[in-house]
Amino acid sequence: MKSARTEYLRPAAAGDVPALMALRTEAEGWLRTKGTDQWSDPETGGRAIAKWHANIDEGRAWVVVGENEQVLATVSRGVVDRDFWTDADQPETALYLYKLIVARDASGRHLGTRVVDWMSRLAALEGRTWVRIDTWRTNTGLHAYYERLGFKHVRTEAPSHRRSGWLAQRPAGELTMPHDLLAVSPSASRPVG
């Protein structure tokens, strides 16, 4: 008999910031071993912490937790990034997924896929057409990962002040693992505003 999963989603809280920073630091190190320069920028310390707090305060950051409330993954939704998406892209038709990070010791649980599916369901519930991402231009392994999840490359933008710019989208409501959806904590309340 298969044991029940214990992971669930909940809004991130200010107390999660140390765990979020640990996830980011771990991901930076892991990415270096994969031969990519992703997240090699100097966005660390106070600036990164300030960004996490802003995302939390705005109700944009979520965490996947397991037993004992251990943070296993995080994702944020954001506003359209005008360095990449234009009026011609009809930005209001999309939910923008950012900062998807999964703890290395949670790999193999398909948490990234399940989080993307959750965002896809959320986008559909909001009446949106797309889930959109922008990723590091040089991280071809990440591009392939998202393509396996049904994202289609739209184009690559290369503003001189940004290293991200590989743009992709997948239809809202599309699910990769429909029989293994993440639950949202029953105590999770949606922030107002």
PDB file of all heavy atoms in Angstrom, residues 142-169:
ATOM      1  N   LEU A 142      17.638  23.676 -17.856  1.00  0.00           N
ATOM      2  CA  LEU A 142      16.377  24.174 -17.304  1.00  0.00           C
ATOM      3  C   LEU A 142      15.352  24.381 -18.415  1.00  0.00           C
ATOM      4  O   LEU A 142      14.170  24.086 -18.236  1.00  0.00           O
ATOM      5  CB  LEU A 142      16.613  25.474 -16.537  1.00  0.00           C
ATOM      6  CG  LEU A 142      15.428  26.021 -15.755  1.00  0.00           C
ATOM      7  CD1 LEU A 142      14.922  25.013 -14.728  1.00  0.00           C
ATOM      8  CD2 LEU A 142      15.807  27.329 -15.058  1.00  0.00           C
ATOM      9  N   HIS A 143      15.798  24.843 -19.574  1.00  0.00           N
ATOM     10  CA  HIS A 143      14.889  24.998 -20.710  1.00  0.00           C
ATOM     11  C   HIS A 143      14.262  23.643 -21.045  1.00  0.00           C
ATOM     12  O   HIS A 143      13.038  23.542 -21.231  1.00  0.00           O
ATOM     13  CB  HIS A 143      15.614  25.532 -21.944  1.00  0.00           C
ATOM     14  CG  HIS A 143      16.350  26.807 -21.722  1.00  0.00           C
ATOM     15  ND1 HIS A 143      17.286  27.272 -22.620  1.00  0.00           N
ATOM     16  CD2 HIS A 143      16.312  27.723 -20.717  1.00  0.00           C
ATOM     17  CE1 HIS A 143      17.790  28.418 -22.182  1.00  0.00           C
ATOM     18  NE2 HIS A 143      17.211  28.704 -21.027  1.00  0.00           N
ATOM     19  N   ALA A 144      15.095  22.607 -21.118  1.00  0.00           N
ATOM     20  CA  ALA A 144      14.599  21.263 -21.443  1.00  0.00           C
ATOM     21  C   ALA A 144      13.619  20.762 -20.377  1.00  0.00           C
ATOM     22  O   ALA A 144      12.610  20.119 -20.701  1.00  0.00           O
ATOM     23  CB  ALA A 144      15.772  20.298 -21.600  1.00  0.00           C
ATOM     24  N   TYR A 145      13.911  21.044 -19.107  1.00  0.00           N
ATOM     25  CA  TYR A 145      13.017  20.646 -18.017  1.00  0.00           C
ATOM     26  C   TYR A 145      11.630  21.255 -18.226  1.00  0.00           C
ATOM     27  O   TYR A 145      10.611  20.554 -18.191  1.00  0.00           O
ATOM     28  CB  TYR A 145      13.603  21.084 -16.671  1.00  0.00           C
ATOM     29  CG  TYR A 145      12.659  20.936 -15.504  1.00  0.00           C
ATOM     30  CD1 TYR A 145      12.412  19.686 -14.943  1.00  0.00           C
ATOM     31  CD2 TYR A 145      12.004  22.041 -14.969  1.00  0.00           C
ATOM     32  CE1 TYR A 145      11.532  19.545 -13.879  1.00  0.00           C
ATOM     33  CE2 TYR A 145      11.131  21.911 -13.903  1.00  0.00           C
ATOM     34  CZ  TYR A 145      10.899  20.664 -13.362  1.00  0.00           C
ATOM     35  OH  TYR A 145      10.020  20.534 -12.314  1.00  0.00           O
ATOM     36  N   TYR A 146      11.580  22.556 -18.446  1.00  0.00           N
ATOM     37  CA  TYR A 146      10.286  23.207 -18.627  1.00  0.00           C
ATOM     38  C   TYR A 146       9.582  22.731 -19.902  1.00  0.00           C
ATOM     39  O   TYR A 146       8.363  22.599 -19.932  1.00  0.00           O
ATOM     40  CB  TYR A 146      10.429  24.731 -18.599  1.00  0.00           C
ATOM     41  CG  TYR A 146      10.517  25.272 -17.195  1.00  0.00           C
ATOM     42  CD1 TYR A 146      11.660  25.900 -16.723  1.00  0.00           C
ATOM     43  CD2 TYR A 146       9.439  25.143 -16.316  1.00  0.00           C
ATOM     44  CE1 TYR A 146      11.726  26.402 -15.423  1.00  0.00           C
ATOM     45  CE2 TYR A 146       9.501  25.632 -15.019  1.00  0.00           C
ATOM     46  CZ  TYR A 146      10.647  26.251 -14.588  1.00  0.00           C
ATOM     47  OH  TYR A 146      10.708  26.733 -13.298  1.00  0.00           O
ATOM     48  N   GLU A 147      10.351  22.462 -20.951  1.00  0.00           N
ATOM     49  CA  GLU A 147       9.735  21.935 -22.168  1.00  0.00           C
ATOM     50  C   GLU A 147       9.110  20.560 -21.909  1.00  0.00           C
ATOM     51  O   GLU A 147       8.039  20.257 -22.440  1.00  0.00           O
ATOM     52  CB  GLU A 147      10.746  21.892 -23.308  1.00  0.00           C
ATOM     53  CG  GLU A 147      11.043  23.296 -23.835  1.00  0.00           C
ATOM     54  CD  GLU A 147      12.162  23.361 -24.854  1.00  0.00           C
ATOM     55  OE1 GLU A 147      13.087  22.508 -24.810  1.00  0.00           O
ATOM     56  OE2 GLU A 147      12.119  24.285 -25.703  1.00  0.00           O
ATOM     57  N   ARG A 148       9.746  19.739 -21.076  1.00  0.00           N
ATOM     58  CA  ARG A 148       9.153  18.441 -20.717  1.00  0.00           C
ATOM     59  C   ARG A 148       7.837  18.621 -19.953  1.00  0.00           C
ATOM     60  O   ARG A 148       6.986  17.748 -19.962  1.00  0.00           O
ATOM     61  CB  ARG A 148      10.123  17.602 -19.884  1.00  0.00           C
ATOM     62  CG  ARG A 148      11.259  17.000 -20.686  1.00  0.00           C
ATOM     63  CD  ARG A 148      12.044  15.960 -19.911  1.00  0.00           C
ATOM     64  NE  ARG A 148      12.605  16.439 -18.661  1.00  0.00           N
ATOM     65  CZ  ARG A 148      13.781  17.045 -18.514  1.00  0.00           C
ATOM     66  NH1 ARG A 148      14.547  17.266 -19.575  1.00  0.00           N
ATOM     67  NH2 ARG A 148      14.206  17.430 -17.322  1.00  0.00           N
ATOM     68  N   LEU A 149       7.691  19.776 -19.285  1.00  0.00           N
ATOM     69  CA  LEU A 149       6.461  20.060 -18.541  1.00  0.00           C
ATOM     70  C   LEU A 149       5.408  20.749 -19.409  1.00  0.00           C
ATOM     71  O   LEU A 149       4.384  21.189 -18.899  1.00  0.00           O
ATOM     72  CB  LEU A 149       6.771  20.930 -17.321  1.00  0.00           C
ATOM     73  CG  LEU A 149       7.666  20.308 -16.255  1.00  0.00           C
ATOM     74  CD1 LEU A 149       7.821  21.245 -15.075  1.00  0.00           C
ATOM     75  CD2 LEU A 149       7.123  18.959 -15.804  1.00  0.00           C
ATOM     76  N   GLY A 150       5.656  20.837 -20.695  1.00  0.00           N
ATOM     77  CA  GLY A 150       4.665  21.383 -21.613  1.00  0.00           C
ATOM     78  C   GLY A 150       4.829  22.844 -21.969  1.00  0.00           C
ATOM     79  O   GLY A 150       4.002  23.399 -22.697  1.00  0.00           O
ATOM     80  N   PHE A 151       5.892  23.478 -21.483  1.00  0.00           N
ATOM     81  CA  PHE A 151       6.133  24.875 -21.857  1.00  0.00           C
ATOM     82  C   PHE A 151       6.689  24.925 -23.276  1.00  0.00           C
ATOM     83  O   PHE A 151       7.488  24.079 -23.664  1.00  0.00           O
ATOM     84  CB  PHE A 151       7.128  25.535 -20.899  1.00  0.00           C
ATOM     85  CG  PHE A 151       6.525  25.917 -19.578  1.00  0.00           C
ATOM     86  CD1 PHE A 151       6.442  24.995 -18.548  1.00  0.00           C
ATOM     87  CD2 PHE A 151       6.045  27.201 -19.360  1.00  0.00           C
ATOM     88  CE1 PHE A 151       5.884  25.331 -17.327  1.00  0.00           C
ATOM     89  CE2 PHE A 151       5.485  27.553 -18.142  1.00  0.00           C
ATOM     90  CZ  PHE A 151       5.407  26.616 -17.112  1.00  0.00           C
ATOM     91  N   LYS A 152       6.254  25.920 -24.030  1.00  0.00           N
ATOM     92  CA  LYS A 152       6.754  26.153 -25.389  1.00  0.00           C
ATOM     93  C   LYS A 152       7.562  27.447 -25.380  1.00  0.00           C
ATOM     94  O   LYS A 152       7.112  28.469 -24.855  1.00  0.00           O
ATOM     95  CB  LYS A 152       5.601  26.289 -26.388  1.00  0.00           C
ATOM     96  CG  LYS A 152       4.664  25.099 -26.411  1.00  0.00           C
ATOM     97  CD  LYS A 152       5.296  23.905 -27.067  1.00  0.00           C
ATOM     98  CE  LYS A 152       4.280  22.787 -27.201  1.00  0.00           C
ATOM     99  NZ  LYS A 152       4.781  21.509 -26.794  1.00  0.00           N
ATOM    100  N   HIS A 153       8.739  27.360 -25.974  1.00  0.00           N
ATOM    101  CA  HIS A 153       9.606  28.536 -26.074  1.00  0.00           C
ATOM    102  C   HIS A 153       8.909  29.592 -26.937  1.00  0.00           C
ATOM    103  O   HIS A 153       8.447  29.296 -28.035  1.00  0.00           O
ATOM    104  CB  HIS A 153      10.947  28.118 -26.676  1.00  0.00           C
ATOM    105  CG  HIS A 153      11.910  29.246 -26.820  1.00  0.00           C
ATOM    106  ND1 HIS A 153      12.422  29.613 -28.032  1.00  0.00           N
ATOM    107  CD2 HIS A 153      12.453  30.090 -25.907  1.00  0.00           C
ATOM    108  CE1 HIS A 153      13.247  30.634 -27.867  1.00  0.00           C
ATOM    109  NE2 HIS A 153      13.280  30.941 -26.589  1.00  0.00           N
ATOM    110  N   VAL A 154       8.821  30.806 -26.424  1.00  0.00           N
ATOM    111  CA  VAL A 154       8.195  31.905 -27.156  1.00  0.00           C
ATOM    112  C   VAL A 154       9.262  32.682 -27.916  1.00  0.00           C
ATOM    113  O   VAL A 154       9.155  32.907 -29.111  1.00  0.00           O
ATOM    114  CB  VAL A 154       7.419  32.831 -26.188  1.00  0.00           C
ATOM    115  CG1 VAL A 154       6.871  34.060 -26.916  1.00  0.00           C
ATOM    116  CG2 VAL A 154       6.304  32.066 -25.487  1.00  0.00           C
ATOM    117  N   ARG A 155      10.304  33.088 -27.209  1.00  0.00           N
ATOM    118  CA  ARG A 155      11.425  33.804 -27.800  1.00  0.00           C
ATOM    119  C   ARG A 155      12.471  34.013 -26.711  1.00  0.00           C
ATOM    120  O   ARG A 155      12.209  33.781 -25.533  1.00  0.00           O
ATOM    121  CB  ARG A 155      10.996  35.146 -28.408  1.00  0.00           C
ATOM    122  CG  ARG A 155      10.535  36.161 -27.401  1.00  0.00           C
ATOM    123  CD  ARG A 155      10.115  37.490 -28.069  1.00  0.00           C
ATOM    124  NE  ARG A 155       9.534  38.367 -27.075  1.00  0.00           N
ATOM    125  CZ  ARG A 155       8.267  38.336 -26.680  1.00  0.00           C
ATOM    126  NH1 ARG A 155       7.425  37.459 -27.209  1.00  0.00           N
ATOM    127  NH2 ARG A 155       7.823  39.176 -25.757  1.00  0.00           N
ATOM    128  N   THR A 156      13.622  34.495 -27.111  1.00  0.00           N
ATOM    129  CA  THR A 156      14.669  34.834 -26.161  1.00  0.00           C
ATOM    130  C   THR A 156      14.966  36.321 -26.296  1.00  0.00           C
ATOM    131  O   THR A 156      15.207  36.815 -27.401  1.00  0.00           O
ATOM    132  CB  THR A 156      15.942  33.997 -26.404  1.00  0.00           C
ATOM    133  OG1 THR A 156      15.601  32.621 -26.271  1.00  0.00           O
ATOM    134  CG2 THR A 156      17.036  34.354 -25.419  1.00  0.00           C
ATOM    135  N   GLU A 157      14.899  37.012 -25.173  1.00  0.00           N
ATOM    136  CA  GLU A 157      15.233  38.429 -25.111  1.00  0.00           C
ATOM    137  C   GLU A 157      16.578  38.555 -24.404  1.00  0.00           C
ATOM    138  O   GLU A 157      16.902  37.736 -23.537  1.00  0.00           O
ATOM    139  CB  GLU A 157      14.171  39.208 -24.325  1.00  0.00           C
ATOM    140  CG  GLU A 157      12.792  39.191 -24.946  1.00  0.00           C
ATOM    141  CD  GLU A 157      12.680  40.081 -26.166  1.00  0.00           C
ATOM    142  OE1 GLU A 157      13.578  40.920 -26.401  1.00  0.00           O
ATOM    143  OE2 GLU A 157      11.673  39.943 -26.892  1.00  0.00           O
ATOM    144  N   ALA A 158      17.350  39.561 -24.759  1.00  0.00           N
ATOM    145  CA  ALA A 158      18.670  39.713 -24.161  1.00  0.00           C
ATOM    146  C   ALA A 158      18.977  41.156 -23.791  1.00  0.00           C
ATOM    147  O   ALA A 158      19.938  41.750 -24.293  1.00  0.00           O
ATOM    148  CB  ALA A 158      19.741  39.161 -25.107  1.00  0.00           C
ATOM    149  N   PRO A 159      18.184  41.751 -22.876  1.00  0.00           N
ATOM    150  CA  PRO A 159      18.542  43.100 -22.448  1.00  0.00           C
ATOM    151  C   PRO A 159      19.914  43.080 -21.775  1.00  0.00           C
ATOM    152  O   PRO A 159      20.239  42.127 -21.059  1.00  0.00           O
ATOM    153  CB  PRO A 159      17.438  43.486 -21.455  1.00  0.00           C
ATOM    154  CG  PRO A 159      16.644  42.272 -21.193  1.00  0.00           C
ATOM    155  CD  PRO A 159      17.025  41.219 -22.189  1.00  0.00           C
ATOM    156  N   SER A 160      20.706  44.089 -22.010  1.00  0.00           N
ATOM    157  CA  SER A 160      22.097  44.086 -21.536  1.00  0.00           C
ATOM    158  C   SER A 160      22.209  44.015 -20.014  1.00  0.00           C
ATOM    159  O   SER A 160      23.210  43.537 -19.497  1.00  0.00           O
ATOM    160  CB  SER A 160      22.831  45.328 -22.050  1.00  0.00           C
ATOM    161  OG  SER A 160      22.189  46.502 -21.561  1.00  0.00           O
ATOM    162  N   HIS A 161      21.208  44.452 -19.284  1.00  0.00           N
ATOM    163  CA  HIS A 161      21.279  44.475 -17.823  1.00  0.00           C
ATOM    164  C   HIS A 161      20.655  43.227 -17.181  1.00  0.00           C
ATOM    165  O   HIS A 161      20.540  43.172 -15.963  1.00  0.00           O
ATOM    166  CB  HIS A 161      20.598  45.736 -17.287  1.00  0.00           C
ATOM    167  CG  HIS A 161      19.138  45.812 -17.617  1.00  0.00           C
ATOM    168  ND1 HIS A 161      18.688  46.066 -18.888  1.00  0.00           N
ATOM    169  CD2 HIS A 161      18.046  45.648 -16.839  1.00  0.00           C
ATOM    170  CE1 HIS A 161      17.367  46.064 -18.877  1.00  0.00           C
ATOM    171  NE2 HIS A 161      16.948  45.805 -17.656  1.00  0.00           N
ATOM    172  N   ARG A 162      20.288  42.218 -17.988  1.00  0.00           N
ATOM    173  CA  ARG A 162      19.644  41.007 -17.465  1.00  0.00           C
ATOM    174  C   ARG A 162      20.310  39.763 -18.030  1.00  0.00           C
ATOM    175  O   ARG A 162      20.761  39.739 -19.158  1.00  0.00           O
ATOM    176  CB  ARG A 162      18.152  40.983 -17.854  1.00  0.00           C
ATOM    177  CG  ARG A 162      17.326  42.145 -17.357  1.00  0.00           C
ATOM    178  CD  ARG A 162      17.080  42.121 -15.869  1.00  0.00           C
ATOM    179  NE  ARG A 162      16.314  40.987 -15.410  1.00  0.00           N
ATOM    180  CZ  ARG A 162      14.975  40.930 -15.388  1.00  0.00           C
ATOM    181  NH1 ARG A 162      14.261  41.953 -15.824  1.00  0.00           N
ATOM    182  NH2 ARG A 162      14.371  39.860 -14.925  1.00  0.00           N
ATOM    183  N   ARG A 163      20.343  38.689 -17.239  1.00  0.00           N
ATOM    184  CA  ARG A 163      20.880  37.418 -17.710  1.00  0.00           C
ATOM    185  C   ARG A 163      19.764  36.426 -17.998  1.00  0.00           C
ATOM    186  O   ARG A 163      19.967  35.414 -18.635  1.00  0.00           O
ATOM    187  CB  ARG A 163      21.855  36.867 -16.683  1.00  0.00           C
ATOM    188  CG  ARG A 163      23.056  37.812 -16.520  1.00  0.00           C
ATOM    189  CD  ARG A 163      23.949  37.368 -15.444  1.00  0.00           C
ATOM    190  NE  ARG A 163      25.117  36.747 -16.050  1.00  0.00           N
ATOM    191  CZ  ARG A 163      26.126  36.299 -15.361  1.00  0.00           C
ATOM    192  NH1 ARG A 163      26.125  36.372 -14.050  1.00  0.00           N
ATOM    193  NH2 ARG A 163      27.143  35.754 -15.961  1.00  0.00           N
ATOM    194  N   SER A 164      18.587  36.713 -17.482  1.00  0.00           N
ATOM    195  CA  SER A 164      17.423  35.914 -17.812  1.00  0.00           C
ATOM    196  C   SER A 164      16.913  36.388 -19.159  1.00  0.00           C
ATOM    197  O   SER A 164      17.387  37.390 -19.687  1.00  0.00           O
ATOM    198  CB  SER A 164      16.356  36.094 -16.723  1.00  0.00           C
ATOM    199  OG  SER A 164      15.337  35.143 -16.866  1.00  0.00           O
ATOM    200  N   GLY A 165      15.960  35.669 -19.725  1.00  0.00           N
ATOM    201  CA  GLY A 165      15.389  36.124 -20.984  1.00  0.00           C
ATOM    202  C   GLY A 165      14.906  35.026 -21.904  1.00  0.00           C
ATOM    203  O   GLY A 165      14.367  35.299 -22.970  1.00  0.00           O
ATOM    204  N   TRP A 166      15.067  33.741 -21.502  1.00  0.00           N
ATOM    205  CA  TRP A 166      14.471  32.639 -22.263  1.00  0.00           C
ATOM    206  C   TRP A 166      13.016  32.568 -21.829  1.00  0.00           C
ATOM    207  O   TRP A 166      12.721  32.253 -20.684  1.00  0.00           O
ATOM    208  CB  TRP A 166      15.218  31.337 -21.980  1.00  0.00           C
ATOM    209  CG  TRP A 166      14.777  30.178 -22.819  1.00  0.00           C
ATOM    210  CD1 TRP A 166      15.232  29.853 -24.061  1.00  0.00           C
ATOM    211  CD2 TRP A 166      13.821  29.161 -22.468  1.00  0.00           C
ATOM    212  NE1 TRP A 166      14.617  28.701 -24.515  1.00  0.00           N
ATOM    213  CE2 TRP A 166      13.742  28.268 -23.541  1.00  0.00           C
ATOM    214  CE3 TRP A 166      13.018  28.932 -21.349  1.00  0.00           C
ATOM    215  CZ2 TRP A 166      12.906  27.152 -23.549  1.00  0.00           C
ATOM    216  CZ3 TRP A 166      12.182  27.823 -21.342  1.00  0.00           C
ATOM    217  CH2 TRP A 166      12.127  26.945 -22.428  1.00  0.00           C
ATOM    218  N   LEU A 167      12.098  32.924 -22.736  1.00  0.00           N
ATOM    219  CA  LEU A 167      10.694  33.062 -22.398  1.00  0.00           C
ATOM    220  C   LEU A 167       9.899  31.864 -22.903  1.00  0.00           C
ATOM    221  O   LEU A 167      10.062  31.443 -24.052  1.00  0.00           O
ATOM    222  CB  LEU A 167      10.116  34.340 -23.017  1.00  0.00           C
ATOM    223  CG  LEU A 167      10.887  35.635 -22.765  1.00  0.00           C
ATOM    224  CD1 LEU A 167      10.182  36.807 -23.432  1.00  0.00           C
ATOM    225  CD2 LEU A 167      11.088  35.884 -21.290  1.00  0.00           C
ATOM    226  N   ALA A 168       9.030  31.353 -22.032  1.00  0.00           N
ATOM    227  CA  ALA A 168       8.211  30.206 -22.406  1.00  0.00           C
ATOM    228  C   ALA A 168       6.856  30.310 -21.720  1.00  0.00           C
ATOM    229  O   ALA A 168       6.698  31.027 -20.729  1.00  0.00           O
ATOM    230  CB  ALA A 168       8.911  28.902 -22.033  1.00  0.00           C
ATOM    231  N   GLN A 169       5.895  29.577 -22.256  1.00  0.00           N
ATOM    232  CA  GLN A 169       4.564  29.557 -21.670  1.00  0.00           C
ATOM    233  C   GLN A 169       3.925  28.200 -21.914  1.00  0.00           C
ATOM    234  O   GLN A 169       4.319  27.469 -22.819  1.00  0.00           O
ATOM    235  CB  GLN A 169       3.698  30.670 -22.259  1.00  0.00           C
ATOM    236  CG  GLN A 169       3.442  30.547 -23.746  1.00  0.00           C
ATOM    237  CD  GLN A 169       2.741  31.766 -24.328  1.00  0.00           C
ATOM    238  OE1 GLN A 169       2.688  32.824 -23.728  1.00  0.00           O
ATOM    239  NE2 GLN A 169       2.198  31.622 -25.534  1.00  0.00           N
TER     240      GLN A 169
END
